[in-house]
Amino acid sequence: MAIRNLRLEGDSILYKKSREVENIDEKTRELIDDMIETMHKYNGVGLAAVQVGILKRIVVIDLYDDKGPIVLINPRILKTKGEQEVEEGCLSFPNKFAKIVRPAEVVVEYLDRNGKKVKLKAKELLAQVVSHELDHLEGELFIDKIIPGTLEYNTEN
Ligand code: NI
């Protein structure tokens, strides 16, 4: 396992669309392990492969609860419901936070790291993170969707 370099604001790769994973092989699993380690190092709740420079449809999420990290390969949103106005940041935009409107509920289908199809119904924070991370796979960034006038810079750390 290794920490990978984060792609940051201004890097054009962040605007590119990621490709489907065709084989969940040894290299894919190594990437997933590295993504989890990298997310944990920076205390993130989610990370998409594009953020470490790999244009593959892979997302890792960890809300630091008893579920542990979730790995979503080739995720697809089946349904969204409602809205929530939330505070949001992104590991590619360190120290930038803003308010944004996300779906209140998201039903997402994906393959787990063993290639098993999973259907997950996410609410609240998990729905927000799933929506944010799946946007990354389309090359869409939270900073382009924020509620105007809510951007804050946190320079404490
Ligand atoms: Ni992000």
Side-chain angles (χ1 to χ4, degrees), residues 79-84 103-107 121-124 127:
K79 204 170 109 182
T80 64
K81 196 174 142 189
E83 287 185 342
Q84 53 175 335
E105 282 183 38
V106 172
V107 180
K121 191 173 174 179
K123 292 179 179 183
E124 297 166 354

Side-chain angles (χ1 to χ4, degrees), residues 41-54:
K41 174 170 167 71
Y42 296 102
N43 303 311
V45 290
L47 186 73
V50 59
Q51 292 181 276
V52 293
I54 310 282

Side-chain angles (χ1 to χ4, degrees), residues 14 46-48 51 88-93 102 132-133 136 140-142:
L14 294 173
L47 186 73
Q51 292 181 276
E88 193 161 299
C90 176
L91 290 181
S92 294
F93 293 78
R102 291 285 181 193
H132 176 112
E133 298 309 329
H136 273 300
E140 293 172 16
L141 298 170
F142 89 111

Side-chain angles (χ1 to χ4, degrees), residues 92-109:
S92 294
F93 293 78
N95 304 324
K96 278 192 179 173
F97 299 89
K99 285 193 173 150
I100 186 165
V101 177
R102 291 285 181 193
E105 282 183 38
V106 172
V107 180
V108 61
E109 190 177 76

Side-chain angles (χ1 to χ4, degrees), residues 15-28:
Y15 287 96
K16 292 193 174 149
K17 195 172 163 165
S18 295
R19 291 180 293 270
E20 295 266 314
V21 175
E22 277 162 27
N23 283 311
I24 305 172
D25 53 17
E26 197 60 31
K27 216 177 149 192
T28 310

